[in-house]
Amino acid sequence: MNFCSDNVTGVAPEILAALAAANRGAAMPYGADAVTARLERKVAEIFETEVAVFPVATGSAANSLALSVMAPPYGAIYCHEAAHINVDECGAPEFFTGGAKLVDLAGADGKLHAGDLAAALAEAGAGIVHHVQPAAVSLTQASECGTVYSPHELHEIAGLARAHGLKLHVDGARFANAVAGLGCSPADLTWRAGVDALSLGATKNGALAAEAVVFFDRALAAAFGYRRKRAGHLFSKMRFLSAQLEAYLSDDLWLRNARHANRLADRLAQGLAGLPGARLVYPVQANEVFVALPEVAIAGLLADGFQFYRWPDAGLGAIRLVTAFDTDPADVGALLAAAERHAGRHRADRAQNT
Amino acid sequence: MNFCSDNVTGVAPEILAALAAANRGAAMPYGADAVTARLERKVAEIFETEVAVFPVATGSAANSLALSVMAPPYGAIYCHEAAHINVDECGAPEFFTGGAKLVDLAGADGKLHAGDLAAALAEAGAGIVHHVQPAAVSLTQASECGTVYSPHELHEIAGLARAHGLKLHVDGARFANAVAGLGCSPADLTWRAGVDALSLGATKNGALAAEAVVFFDRALAAAFGYRRKRAGHLFSKMRFLSAQLEAYLSDDLWLRNARHANRLADRLAQGLAGLPGARLVYPVQANEVFVALPEVAIAGLLADGFQFYRWPDAGLGAIRLVTAFDTDPADVGALLAAAERHAGRHRADRAQNT
Amino acid sequence: MNFCSDNVTGVAPEILAALAAANRGAAMPYGADAVTARLERKVAEIFETEVAVFPVATGSAANSLALSVMAPPYGAIYCHEAAHINVDECGAPEFFTGGAKLVDLAGADGKLHAGDLAAALAEAGAGIVHHVQPAAVSLTQASECGTVYSPHELHEIAGLARAHGLKLHVDGARFANAVAGLGCSPADLTWRAGVDALSLGATKNGALAAEAVVFFDRALAAAFGYRRKRAGHLFSKMRFLSAQLEAYLSDDLWLRNARHANRLADRLAQGLAGLPGARLVYPVQANEVFVALPEVAIAGLLADGFQFYRWPDAGLGAIRLVTAFDTDPADVGALLAAAERHAGRHRADRAQNT
Amino acid sequence: MNFCSDNVTGVAPEILAALAAANRGAAMPYGADAVTARLERKVAEIFETEVAVFPVATGSAANSLALSVMAPPYGAIYCHEAAHINVDECGAPEFFTGGAKLVDLAGADGKLHAGDLAAALAEAGAGIVHHVQPAAVSLTQASECGTVYSPHELHEIAGLARAHGLKLHVDGARFANAVAGLGCSPADLTWRAGVDALSLGATKNGALAAEAVVFFDRALAAAFGYRRKRAGHLFSKMRFLSAQLEAYLSDDLWLRNARHANRLADRLAQGLAGLPGARLVYPVQANEVFVALPEVAIAGLLADGFQFYRWPDAGLGAIRLVTAFDTDPADVGALLAAAERHAGRHRADRAQNT
């Protein structure tokens, strides 16, 4: 019963089937195949606008390649201090952009707030050669704290970005979970709100290894193909990337998977929040639960064999539980039952100590 | 009937089955899974020595990441002028190394020859700050012309490299075809001959998208993990890369597949060489046939629906035919029959003109 | 009467004379001249140890080139958030290192404090591929706030750096002012305290354009020559860089110049601190005075033609006054007199308002 | 008597005087000074068009910074195989561009010929993601072989460049010698012929260390300031760079100096060409003489204390003699007299052997 991350999961059966189905006969390489051609249309339909779509295999590749056409080497990219691009990609954005600088800002609930961005931009020194030049903003949707940006929040940030000549990127490793959580259309959470490029994640939500860089500002796509190739991210047997993404976006699979994960996260949150000594650290708006528990409960759950990470960044006693498309509701039930048992001991201990 | 490349192929059934088999339950991400652990042992057995192994998804990634730990930004990497890293990767080695320079040398049959390398090193200006510093040699095995380096040739080049303090890399996108063609052991073609790092290809020979960077000089591996991550080439669901490679190297699949491809290339070569007006451009030692044919034969084959590329670099009237693990012998027979028919017309034309 | 910066100054007469003196006959280029040979000995004497010395023309070049041999592209460089390398070099360290990340830490009085560094290193994720790897620490001596690190403070930070395998760099754009301010030996402020490399500034303190990268850990020098050349920072007529530095370090010129500047900064600080409504923002330990003044005084001084910068980073009403080797004591006197006059009005205003 | 290079020279007296003259009072840094403002006007007058001008200190910096705004990281820069940027800058263009590729072409007399460029462009694979994309052409004027491109030759190459969407850069380390040699206007050798950017050298021709990047296509200048700063090439005391360039371009100093050097090269060429066993390797059109001499003459001259380099790239027995703005005509006379004496021995030897 592994709640460590949604990347411990395997492949959704629909996607595995799509891989097998794509394995028929020869196909021209590097994207000149029928599946890839269909994929771009599919994405356009789902987002209700013309797009340029580039499949890649990892989220780090998607993010950094996207940013590499949005910021020059002397550019600044604004993000939350907890952003995956800032702390978990071993400097990938710096590598792909040729040394651009991530300007990381604090912000409650793992989100970049318009006011903080405005303040940072005001003192950025735009136009002054001594300073890196504001070039892009990158948000994570859903955020690293399992929260989501509302369309209104996106609008506000996008407005600031546009006013200062910055491009807006969204790291959507868990974009499906955000769409499912908000109940908005994909368009409302992207180009209608002012987003220029999206890293549309699929791996965490059922794919083997597939993400799509989606450009709403299609001018950004001009150099992307060269940069993807040059970074070793152009697959020769592209049909197998595209097939994953096609299946992912077909028959609502991406949203069905995400809703399942979100629902179970919600159940976890509700169940845990009521326990003595427990506290939800962030609002649970997607498929991640950050919760502070008494040490006896944490230790007990680990001893029972539940797998998850302690999350010191979220405060004393905090752990992170991640649900996924394939999480068994029974496992959630088992965890809640065990937690209640362990927390009960906590209550008993405390009663005794009083 | 597609002879364009071995990358138009799909996935070998054994490898697809391995993907399905790996899709059971949760697995810790980023290589901390059981399949990946097994893979390193498997590679060590096959190469009869301790190795460090890093799965990646594309050949360009394998090559450039390997080179990035073998050459500093101010380094020179010596290769054949037709090398894939030099002409077909959109500058990937330059990107990954931070701007090292590829020094490309001519050489018969697509191979770098020790004498030419020695001459280039003699005038390289080692130790002089004005010049990029000799750092690595990269060979392609089998070469871009479908030829192979013998162990003796490798020894000679490795000796030169070692004497000048250079590391030796092998781009083995078609390494299996070279092993199969030469009938040597993998060890004889690598570390025993002085090779420090190998890009061990699997994609062209049956994998979906999987290559392994294999370090025989394991000191080179120290920084590799950071560079792979930073380049977006560390898969979260690594087990699915490793499973491909494990299946590939199990039960001799890689060599069985390669032998099949080589055999059919040989059959093509023998069949075409005897046609009037035909000429094999390079020795056929792996799974590629470069042959000059009368225009009437080329045009006829294309009109018949056979797919392949004209190859002007190999001279007037040259085409390239590539066989693969899944090439149907019947297709080879059909192509030979058609070629004979069209070449017969060529003979007739010429007879008439005399 | 320009107190904007010590880079508004011209060239010290001794250094201009040295340039003229170096202009005799032909000299072999790129450092193979007699002056450059003498310079390395001179630096070794002054620092009482063997060193490797590389003249360059700008402080940004000195800093970034030094860091480029101290941190890999996937490295992290720890510095104060106000560090020149972090905010005033348009991303130069990122460029020269191939994308390393500056981890900027807050710290009172413009200084990195050992406790904060220790905390940052504790959570850096050394050895984990997802995170940039701690590689170097860079301090500014004297700091951007005009304060200095004592030998003890350096020792503490160097101890931490060594314990975590990091190299220690000092940006010494105003190193002479620090030496003069502390009354320590250059050795005590560098290698004896654990410093591996120093950007030894001369430009702000009397040179035309000359800095020296000094390696105490001479192993770091191995690749420096190539990186300097590759960055366009190897001067063909090197003798003219070396001559500036030789004159600078001869007859105590560097320290005499620095003492002059420090003395006048001290006089400014003492004179201003006593004014009504005035407050020194940072201890004045070198040649920079950060002082908060009543707006009427600031406006008055500017109207009088005194040139200096408002310094909002140092708080409300803060300005920065920089003295230099050629600052006329009479100008300092004039500024103090004017400030007193304007501040008197402030007092009067306030008295009136009470 | 040093004929090794024009970079063994010191500083022209007019330029040294200008440095002293610029050393009056304070001046705002980083180019916000009066001298720098005047310089841009001066360059515009001399080139008879609006320009953007950026002083830097070295030729490698000028070239690579210029190229960094003319080619993307995935770009190809076409140049002669002997180009300074290709062989003598330790990979600087690769560093500054983020890994662009120099495509080096052979060409008689050290010059890139339009036909060879056309052939290379025809097979470059523009628009195909596997290949680096043609972005710029860089010529050296005067060339590394002491020859010059006529306006007609420039026109032809510029036409090709424009037709393929490439920018045209000229490395003018010895541009003054080319202007003096051809007797053309600076405009005729640059923008009127289609040149977009010029590295206008001064160092070899009398400056201490000063070059100007001159953009005729001023759109290229937009990002240059950031890249110059980020590379550590923005001088704080800029007035001292600008003062060198201003003096250089005033009162025809640059052309007077170049004419002097060219005249003496011509005298050397004429004197040496007539000697028995001597042969001019390249036409002498600027200030460099490549001449093959009998070994006895070379050895004799070296024994006499004349300094120059053997130049094996120019063939057996070749040496290079470079004259400069400060070459003493008496030294030229002395060298010719000595050469005649030594070559006489050669004749005598040969007579004896017959």
mmCIF file of all heavy atoms in Angstrom, chain C residues 8-11 23 26-27 58 88 90-92 203 207 229-233 237 239, chain D residues 8-11 23 26-27 58 88 90-92 203 207 229-233 237 239:
data_model
loop_
_atom_site.group_PDB
_atom_site.id
_atom_site.type_symbol
_atom_site.label_atom_id
_atom_site.label_comp_id
_atom_site.label_asym_id
_atom_site.label_seq_id
_atom_site.Cartn_x
_atom_site.Cartn_y
_atom_site.Cartn_z
ATOM 1 N N VAL C 8 33.683 55.080 -10.396
ATOM 2 C CA VAL C 8 33.632 56.321 -11.175
ATOM 3 C C VAL C 8 35.003 56.981 -11.219
ATOM 4 O O VAL C 8 35.195 58.006 -11.879
ATOM 5 C CB VAL C 8 32.607 57.334 -10.600
ATOM 6 C CG1 VAL C 8 31.225 56.699 -10.483
ATOM 7 C CG2 VAL C 8 33.062 57.889 -9.253
ATOM 8 N N THR C 9 35.937 56.386 -10.527
ATOM 9 C CA THR C 9 37.278 56.962 -10.451
ATOM 10 C C THR C 9 38.066 56.697 -11.728
ATOM 11 O O THR C 9 37.701 55.846 -12.537
ATOM 12 C CB THR C 9 38.052 56.307 -9.290
ATOM 13 O OG1 THR C 9 38.089 54.886 -9.505
ATOM 14 C CG2 THR C 9 37.377 56.583 -7.963
ATOM 15 N N GLY C 10 39.163 57.429 -11.852
ATOM 16 C CA GLY C 10 40.090 57.180 -12.944
ATOM 17 C C GLY C 10 41.176 56.210 -12.503
ATOM 18 O O GLY C 10 40.913 55.311 -11.698
ATOM 19 N N VAL C 11 42.361 56.440 -13.022
ATOM 20 C CA VAL C 11 43.479 55.539 -12.780
ATOM 21 C C VAL C 11 44.464 56.232 -11.842
ATOM 22 O O VAL C 11 44.762 57.415 -12.008
ATOM 23 C CB VAL C 11 44.175 55.196 -14.112
ATOM 24 C CG1 VAL C 11 45.277 54.173 -13.898
ATOM 25 C CG2 VAL C 11 43.154 54.694 -15.131
ATOM 26 N N ASN C 23 55.221 50.049 -21.937
ATOM 27 C CA ASN C 23 55.076 50.262 -23.381
ATOM 28 C C ASN C 23 56.428 50.457 -24.062
ATOM 29 O O ASN C 23 56.656 51.438 -24.767
ATOM 30 C CB ASN C 23 54.168 51.468 -23.626
ATOM 31 C CG ASN C 23 53.707 51.546 -25.071
ATOM 32 O OD1 ASN C 23 53.595 50.525 -25.740
ATOM 33 N ND2 ASN C 23 53.460 52.756 -25.544
ATOM 34 N N ALA C 26 58.813 45.312 -28.163
ATOM 35 C CA ALA C 26 57.921 44.184 -28.361
ATOM 36 C C ALA C 26 57.923 43.295 -27.126
ATOM 37 O O ALA C 26 58.879 43.294 -26.355
ATOM 38 C CB ALA C 26 58.361 43.390 -29.583
ATOM 39 N N ALA C 27 56.839 42.580 -26.945
ATOM 40 C CA ALA C 27 56.774 41.595 -25.854
ATOM 41 C C ALA C 27 55.939 40.435 -26.343
ATOM 42 O O ALA C 27 54.932 40.637 -27.040
ATOM 43 C CB ALA C 27 56.146 42.199 -24.607
ATOM 44 N N THR C 58 37.978 42.360 -15.675
ATOM 45 C CA THR C 58 36.792 42.792 -14.920
ATOM 46 C C THR C 58 36.527 41.859 -13.752
ATOM 47 O O THR C 58 36.915 40.685 -13.769
ATOM 48 C CB THR C 58 35.523 42.817 -15.806
ATOM 49 O OG1 THR C 58 35.116 41.479 -16.078
ATOM 50 C CG2 THR C 58 35.739 43.566 -17.107
ATOM 51 N N ASP C 88 24.071 41.363 -9.695
ATOM 52 C CA ASP C 88 24.615 42.452 -10.512
ATOM 53 C C ASP C 88 25.471 42.006 -11.685
ATOM 54 O O ASP C 88 26.191 42.822 -12.265
ATOM 55 C CB ASP C 88 25.438 43.389 -9.623
ATOM 56 C CG ASP C 88 24.567 44.194 -8.679
ATOM 57 O OD1 ASP C 88 23.580 44.770 -9.173
ATOM 58 O OD2 ASP C 88 24.850 44.219 -7.476
ATOM 59 N N CYS C 90 24.202 39.906 -14.277
ATOM 60 C CA CYS C 90 23.324 39.432 -15.362
ATOM 61 C C CYS C 90 23.464 37.932 -15.615
ATOM 62 O O CYS C 90 23.414 37.480 -16.754
ATOM 63 C CB CYS C 90 23.615 40.212 -16.644
ATOM 64 S SG CYS C 90 22.269 40.084 -17.855
ATOM 65 N N GLY C 91 23.663 37.204 -14.517
ATOM 66 C CA GLY C 91 23.709 35.752 -14.683
ATOM 67 C C GLY C 91 25.060 35.217 -15.145
ATOM 68 O O GLY C 91 25.130 34.101 -15.662
ATOM 69 N N ALA C 92 26.114 35.984 -14.947
ATOM 70 C CA ALA C 92 27.435 35.535 -15.394
ATOM 71 C C ALA C 92 27.848 34.190 -14.798
ATOM 72 O O ALA C 92 28.333 33.317 -15.531
ATOM 73 C CB ALA C 92 28.488 36.607 -15.097
ATOM 74 N N THR C 203 40.533 47.303 -9.907
ATOM 75 C CA THR C 203 39.909 48.366 -10.692
ATOM 76 C C THR C 203 39.300 49.457 -9.809
ATOM 77 O O THR C 203 39.529 50.647 -10.039
ATOM 78 C CB THR C 203 38.821 47.771 -11.609
ATOM 79 O OG1 THR C 203 39.396 46.705 -12.371
ATOM 80 C CG2 THR C 203 38.266 48.826 -12.551
ATOM 81 N N ALA C 207 43.180 50.833 -10.441
ATOM 82 C CA ALA C 207 43.590 50.332 -11.750
ATOM 83 C C ALA C 207 42.657 50.843 -12.834
ATOM 84 O O ALA C 207 41.558 51.340 -12.560
ATOM 85 C CB ALA C 207 43.628 48.810 -11.740
ATOM 86 N N LYS C 229 40.635 31.711 -21.902
ATOM 87 C CA LYS C 229 40.780 31.951 -23.340
ATOM 88 C C LYS C 229 39.431 31.855 -24.037
ATOM 89 O O LYS C 229 39.046 32.717 -24.826
ATOM 90 C CB LYS C 229 41.744 30.918 -23.931
ATOM 91 C CG LYS C 229 41.849 30.936 -25.447
ATOM 92 C CD LYS C 229 42.471 32.221 -25.955
ATOM 93 C CE LYS C 229 42.289 32.390 -27.463
ATOM 94 N NZ LYS C 229 42.929 33.605 -27.961
ATOM 95 N N ARG C 230 38.736 30.789 -23.733
ATOM 96 C CA ARG C 230 37.448 30.470 -24.339
ATOM 97 C C ARG C 230 36.389 31.533 -24.064
ATOM 98 O O ARG C 230 35.403 31.660 -24.775
ATOM 99 C CB ARG C 230 37.024 29.144 -23.714
ATOM 100 C CG ARG C 230 35.689 28.623 -24.043
ATOM 101 C CD ARG C 230 35.594 27.267 -23.331
ATOM 102 N NE ARG C 230 34.337 26.610 -23.573
ATOM 103 C CZ ARG C 230 34.004 26.025 -24.709
ATOM 104 N NH1 ARG C 230 34.847 25.992 -25.687
ATOM 105 N NH2 ARG C 230 32.833 25.446 -24.854
ATOM 106 N N ALA C 231 36.610 32.289 -22.995
ATOM 107 C CA ALA C 231 35.665 33.344 -22.637
ATOM 108 C C ALA C 231 36.100 34.702 -23.178
ATOM 109 O O ALA C 231 35.483 35.721 -22.881
ATOM 110 C CB ALA C 231 35.513 33.407 -21.119
ATOM 111 N N GLY C 232 37.180 34.698 -23.966
ATOM 112 C CA GLY C 232 37.646 35.967 -24.531
ATOM 113 C C GLY C 232 38.326 36.856 -23.510
ATOM 114 O O GLY C 232 38.429 38.064 -23.710
ATOM 115 N N HIS C 233 38.804 36.266 -22.421
ATOM 116 C CA HIS C 233 39.418 37.068 -21.362
ATOM 117 C C HIS C 233 40.937 36.918 -21.288
ATOM 118 O O HIS C 233 41.542 37.362 -20.311
ATOM 119 C CB HIS C 233 38.779 36.745 -20.007
ATOM 120 C CG HIS C 233 37.437 37.365 -19.841
ATOM 121 N ND1 HIS C 233 37.257 38.731 -19.722
ATOM 122 C CD2 HIS C 233 36.200 36.842 -19.814
ATOM 123 C CE1 HIS C 233 35.976 38.998 -19.609
ATOM 124 N NE2 HIS C 233 35.305 37.877 -19.669
ATOM 125 N N LYS C 237 47.938 41.499 -25.370
ATOM 126 C CA LYS C 237 48.969 42.374 -24.795
ATOM 127 C C LYS C 237 48.879 42.328 -23.271
ATOM 128 O O LYS C 237 48.650 43.340 -22.599
ATOM 129 C CB LYS C 237 48.805 43.794 -25.332
ATOM 130 C CG LYS C 237 48.952 43.868 -26.862
ATOM 131 C CD LYS C 237 48.892 45.300 -27.376
ATOM 132 C CE LYS C 237 49.067 45.336 -28.900
ATOM 133 N NZ LYS C 237 48.938 46.709 -29.448
ATOM 134 N N ARG C 239 50.904 42.127 -20.966
ATOM 135 C CA ARG C 239 51.795 42.934 -20.111
ATOM 136 C C ARG C 239 51.082 44.157 -19.537
ATOM 137 O O ARG C 239 51.431 44.610 -18.458
ATOM 138 C CB ARG C 239 53.023 43.375 -20.904
ATOM 139 C CG ARG C 239 52.691 44.135 -22.183
ATOM 140 C CD ARG C 239 53.955 44.706 -22.829
ATOM 141 N NE ARG C 239 53.827 44.762 -24.285
ATOM 142 C CZ ARG C 239 54.641 45.446 -25.081
ATOM 143 N NH1 ARG C 239 55.658 46.117 -24.559
ATOM 144 N NH2 ARG C 239 54.462 45.443 -26.383
ATOM 145 N N VAL D 8 52.557 41.588 -30.673
ATOM 146 C CA VAL D 8 53.734 41.775 -29.801
ATOM 147 C C VAL D 8 54.027 43.262 -29.613
ATOM 148 O O VAL D 8 54.931 43.636 -28.865
ATOM 149 C CB VAL D 8 54.989 41.068 -30.360
ATOM 150 C CG1 VAL D 8 54.722 39.591 -30.597
ATOM 151 C CG2 VAL D 8 55.501 41.748 -31.613
ATOM 152 N N THR D 9 53.272 44.081 -30.298
ATOM 153 C CA THR D 9 53.515 45.525 -30.244
ATOM 154 C C THR D 9 52.989 46.128 -28.950
ATOM 155 O O THR D 9 52.194 45.519 -28.240
ATOM 156 C CB THR D 9 52.785 46.220 -31.418
ATOM 157 O OG1 THR D 9 51.390 45.920 -31.310
ATOM 158 C CG2 THR D 9 53.313 45.736 -32.743
ATOM 159 N N GLY D 10 53.434 47.342 -28.697
ATOM 160 C CA GLY D 10 52.908 48.099 -27.569
ATOM 161 C C GLY D 10 51.743 48.959 -28.014
ATOM 162 O O GLY D 10 50.963 48.566 -28.893
ATOM 163 N N VAL D 11 51.638 50.117 -27.407
ATOM 164 C CA VAL D 11 50.515 51.011 -27.654
ATOM 165 C C VAL D 11 51.007 52.212 -28.467
ATOM 166 O O VAL D 11 52.077 52.762 -28.179
ATOM 167 C CB VAL D 11 49.921 51.502 -26.319
ATOM 168 C CG1 VAL D 11 48.678 52.338 -26.551
ATOM 169 C CG2 VAL D 11 49.629 50.319 -25.407
ATOM 170 N N ASN D 23 41.801 60.335 -18.227
ATOM 171 C CA ASN D 23 41.953 60.129 -16.781
ATOM 172 C C ASN D 23 41.792 61.429 -16.001
ATOM 173 O O ASN D 23 42.657 61.820 -15.231
ATOM 174 C CB ASN D 23 43.326 59.499 -16.496
ATOM 175 C CG ASN D 23 43.408 58.958 -15.075
ATOM 176 O OD1 ASN D 23 42.398 58.548 -14.513
ATOM 177 N ND2 ASN D 23 44.609 58.962 -14.514
ATOM 178 N N ALA D 26 35.966 62.219 -12.194
ATOM 179 C CA ALA D 26 35.071 61.072 -12.152
ATOM 180 C C ALA D 26 34.290 60.972 -13.456
ATOM 181 O O ALA D 26 34.101 61.964 -14.165
ATOM 182 C CB ALA D 26 34.107 61.218 -10.969
ATOM 183 N N ALA D 27 33.866 59.761 -13.759
ATOM 184 C CA ALA D 27 33.000 59.556 -14.922
ATOM 185 C C ALA D 27 32.043 58.431 -14.587
ATOM 186 O O ALA D 27 32.430 57.448 -13.955
ATOM 187 C CB ALA D 27 33.826 59.189 -16.156
ATOM 188 N N THR D 58 38.865 42.354 -26.218
ATOM 189 C CA THR D 58 39.614 41.371 -27.009
ATOM 190 C C THR D 58 38.847 40.984 -28.266
ATOM 191 O O THR D 58 37.617 41.107 -28.326
ATOM 192 C CB THR D 58 39.883 40.071 -26.208
ATOM 193 O OG1 THR D 58 38.650 39.356 -26.058
ATOM 194 C CG2 THR D 58 40.486 40.355 -24.838
ATOM 195 N N ASP D 88 41.609 29.130 -33.152
ATOM 196 C CA ASP D 88 42.473 29.841 -32.204
ATOM 197 C C ASP D 88 41.758 30.473 -31.024
ATOM 198 O O ASP D 88 42.323 31.327 -30.340
ATOM 199 C CB ASP D 88 43.252 30.936 -32.952
ATOM 200 C CG ASP D 88 44.299 30.351 -33.865
ATOM 201 O OD1 ASP D 88 45.057 29.494 -33.402
ATOM 202 O OD2 ASP D 88 44.345 30.724 -35.053
ATOM 203 N N CYS D 90 39.868 28.554 -28.685
ATOM 204 C CA CYS D 90 39.549 27.502 -27.697
ATOM 205 C C CYS D 90 38.046 27.264 -27.557
ATOM 206 O O CYS D 90 37.544 27.029 -26.461
ATOM 207 C CB CYS D 90 40.163 27.847 -26.341
ATOM 208 S SG CYS D 90 40.267 26.413 -25.240
ATOM 209 N N GLY D 91 37.356 27.364 -28.691
ATOM 210 C CA GLY D 91 35.921 27.077 -28.642
ATOM 211 C C GLY D 91 35.066 28.217 -28.142
ATOM 212 O O GLY D 91 33.921 28.003 -27.731
ATOM 213 N N ALA D 92 35.566 29.433 -28.218
ATOM 214 C CA ALA D 92 34.785 30.575 -27.727
ATOM 215 C C ALA D 92 33.418 30.711 -28.404
ATOM 216 O O ALA D 92 32.413 30.918 -27.722
ATOM 217 C CB ALA D 92 35.588 31.867 -27.863
ATOM 218 N N THR D 203 43.427 46.468 -31.374
ATOM 219 C CA THR D 203 44.553 46.043 -30.547
ATOM 220 C C THR D 203 45.809 45.785 -31.360
ATOM 221 O O THR D 203 46.903 46.275 -31.033
ATOM 222 C CB THR D 203 44.178 44.771 -29.758
ATOM 223 O OG1 THR D 203 42.965 45.004 -29.049
ATOM 224 C CG2 THR D 203 45.277 44.402 -28.773
ATOM 225 N N ALA D 207 46.194 49.805 -30.369
ATOM 226 C CA ALA D 207 45.526 49.980 -29.087
ATOM 227 C C ALA D 207 46.177 49.106 -28.022
ATOM 228 O O ALA D 207 46.931 48.184 -28.327
ATOM 229 C CB ALA D 207 44.044 49.659 -29.207
ATOM 230 N N LYS D 229 27.511 41.944 -20.723
ATOM 231 C CA LYS D 229 27.624 42.023 -19.266
ATOM 232 C C LYS D 229 27.805 40.634 -18.671
ATOM 233 O O LYS D 229 28.678 40.398 -17.839
ATOM 234 C CB LYS D 229 26.362 42.672 -18.702
ATOM 235 C CG LYS D 229 26.257 42.645 -17.183
ATOM 236 C CD LYS D 229 27.303 43.523 -16.513
ATOM 237 C CE LYS D 229 27.398 43.274 -15.030
ATOM 238 N NZ LYS D 229 28.385 44.133 -14.374
ATOM 239 N N ARG D 230 26.953 39.748 -19.096
ATOM 240 C CA ARG D 230 26.916 38.378 -18.594
ATOM 241 C C ARG D 230 28.225 37.619 -18.871
ATOM 242 O O ARG D 230 28.530 36.633 -18.211
ATOM 243 C CB ARG D 230 25.770 37.703 -19.348
ATOM 244 C CG ARG D 230 25.571 36.253 -19.162
ATOM 245 C CD ARG D 230 24.338 35.892 -19.990
ATOM 246 N NE ARG D 230 23.986 34.506 -19.858
ATOM 247 C CZ ARG D 230 23.428 33.976 -18.782
ATOM 248 N NH1 ARG D 230 23.168 34.733 -17.761
ATOM 249 N NH2 ARG D 230 23.139 32.693 -18.737
ATOM 250 N N ALA D 231 28.959 38.093 -19.845
ATOM 251 C CA ALA D 231 30.228 37.448 -20.178
ATOM 252 C C ALA D 231 31.397 38.141 -19.493
ATOM 253 O O ALA D 231 32.557 37.799 -19.743
ATOM 254 C CB ALA D 231 30.420 37.436 -21.692
ATOM 255 N N GLY D 232 31.099 39.116 -18.651
ATOM 256 C CA GLY D 232 32.178 39.819 -17.957
ATOM 257 C C GLY D 232 32.940 40.772 -18.853
ATOM 258 O O GLY D 232 34.070 41.143 -18.544
ATOM 259 N N HIS D 233 32.326 41.192 -19.953
ATOM 260 C CA HIS D 233 33.025 42.056 -20.896
ATOM 261 C C HIS D 233 32.522 43.496 -20.884
ATOM 262 O O HIS D 233 32.853 44.263 -21.778
ATOM 263 C CB HIS D 233 32.948 41.472 -22.310
ATOM 264 C CG HIS D 233 33.887 40.331 -22.509
ATOM 265 N ND1 HIS D 233 35.243 40.487 -22.529
ATOM 266 C CD2 HIS D 233 33.677 38.999 -22.636
ATOM 267 C CE1 HIS D 233 35.834 39.311 -22.699
ATOM 268 N NE2 HIS D 233 34.911 38.390 -22.760
ATOM 269 N N LYS D 237 35.043 51.005 -15.984
ATOM 270 C CA LYS D 237 35.674 52.266 -16.427
ATOM 271 C C LYS D 237 35.755 52.283 -17.952
ATOM 272 O O LYS D 237 36.834 52.359 -18.553
ATOM 273 C CB LYS D 237 37.053 52.382 -15.785
ATOM 274 C CG LYS D 237 37.000 52.409 -14.248
ATOM 275 C CD LYS D 237 38.345 52.652 -13.616
ATOM 276 C CE LYS D 237 38.227 52.711 -12.099
ATOM 277 N NZ LYS D 237 39.551 52.856 -11.440
ATOM 278 N N ARG D 239 35.234 54.385 -20.131
ATOM 279 C CA ARG D 239 35.844 55.513 -20.862
ATOM 280 C C ARG D 239 37.235 55.163 -21.385
ATOM 281 O O ARG D 239 37.672 55.692 -22.402
ATOM 282 C CB ARG D 239 35.929 56.744 -19.960
ATOM 283 C CG ARG D 239 36.656 56.493 -18.640
ATOM 284 C CD ARG D 239 36.867 57.798 -17.872
ATOM 285 N NE ARG D 239 36.846 57.564 -16.423
ATOM 286 C CZ ARG D 239 37.266 58.432 -15.526
ATOM 287 N NH1 ARG D 239 37.738 59.613 -15.909
ATOM 288 N NH2 ARG D 239 37.206 58.164 -14.237
#
